[in-house]
Amino acid sequence: MQRLSALCAMALLLAGCDQTTDVQQSPIDHAERTNQLVTQLTDHCYQQWQELEWTVGEDQSSAADNQAFSGGIQKVCQARVELFLEGYEITPIIEPNSQQHIYPLVFRVSVEEIKNHIRSHLPALRLI
């Protein structure tokens, strides 16, 4: 929970939501800041996932060392972050006990496909 609070604070700060300035942001500046935020939170999600030390296959090899799997995790992280920033009630990080939900998403083609799958397969997912 503490990590999520820190992520939310970082999201608000990086999105330009602090109220210490009266200067209006142009749409380009806002989009650039949002892209930076997505990148930073996606990187944070991926780093947190690496610490979970998931394994794959019968030989229990490191999932982080499997390029296809770890690349898929990066897409899953980006999808989760984007849904979080869109206002969905979803954590922008991968939780330790979420393998059963994450594994089916890893080899999806695109971030958008992952987002659509998450939206359609998690009935509790809702806008907050």
Side-chain angles (χ1 to χ4, degrees):
M1 189 59 127
Q2 203 171 29
R3 283 185 189 169
L4 185 57
S5 297
L7 286 172
C8 290
M10 183 170 66
L12 290 174
L13 180 64
L14 292 172
C17 293
D18 77 328
Q19 299 181 1
T20 59
T21 181
D22 294 332
V23 177
Q24 290 284 356
Q25 287 185 343
S26 73
I28 294 171
D29 290 343
H30 179 71
E32 185 177 318
R33 289 179 75 111
T34 300
N35 288 338
Q36 289 174 350
L37 178 59
V38 167
T39 299
Q40 289 175 341
L41 290 177
T42 298
D43 290 346
H44 178 76
C45 170
Y46 182 74
Q47 290 169 2
Q48 293 293 316
W49 170 78
Q50 286 179 314
E51 292 177 13
L52 298 176
E53 298 180 352
W54 285 4
T55 59
V56 293
E58 291 181 15
D59 65 351
Q60 297 293 300
S61 61
S62 169
D65 292 340
N66 181 308
Q67 190 173 16
F69 194 92
S70 65
I73 290 293
Q74 288 176 323
K75 288 189 281 189
V76 170
C77 283
Q78 182 178 343
R80 293 177 69 87
V81 166
E82 288 179 8
L83 288 170
F84 173 75
L85 293 176
E86 289 172 15
Y88 284 92
E89 190 175 322
I90 187 171
T91 174
I93 59 172
I94 295 175
E95 297 170 332
N97 58 350
S98 63
Q99 289 98 330
Q100 68 181 356
H101 300 292
I102 301 299
Y103 279 26
L105 303 174
V106 170
F107 297 107
R108 301 279 173 160
V109 175
S110 69
V111 171
E112 201 57 43
E113 185 180 348
I114 294 169
K115 287 169 61 174
N116 288 336
H117 182 86
I118 292 171
R119 284 186 195 111
S120 66
H121 287 86
L122 294 178
L125 188 66
R126 61 191 162 116
L127 284 171
I128 53 174

